[in-house]
Amino acid sequence: MAGSAVPEETPKFGWKATAAALVFALAVLGGFGVATAIAVDGDTDDDHGEEHSEEAEDHDEGEEHSDEG
């Protein structure tokens, strides 16, 4: 048959390849999660938390900190 196209074989991935892809994806996402957690934990400063709590106390007392006359 001169006019018919030759069917191409489709790749067939088994359950081993699927399991390997899932393990790889979980490892990548887990790595990003750990890196993010380390980065966020490293950015926290104890001094910043104290300054923030003092500002919150000033705000709770009803004092206004505006430059208006």
Side-chain angles (χ1 to χ4, degrees):
M1 294 186 217
S4 63
V6 178
E8 295 183 23
E9 290 186 28
T10 58
K12 296 179 177 144
F13 300 111
W15 63 271
K16 290 181 182 179
T18 303
L22 288 174
V23 168
F24 177 76
L26 289 174
V28 169
L29 292 175
F32 279 126
V34 169
T36 302
I38 290 172
V40 169
D41 189 37
D43 287 344
T44 59
D45 293 333
D46 292 334
D47 294 338
H48 179 69
E50 291 175 3
E51 290 174 5
H52 183 2
S53 63
E54 290 174 4
E55 290 175 3
E57 289 174 5
D58 289 344
H59 184 68
D60 291 340
E61 293 174 3
E63 297 177 9
E64 292 192 22
H65 298 283
S66 64
D67 292 334
E68 296 178 15

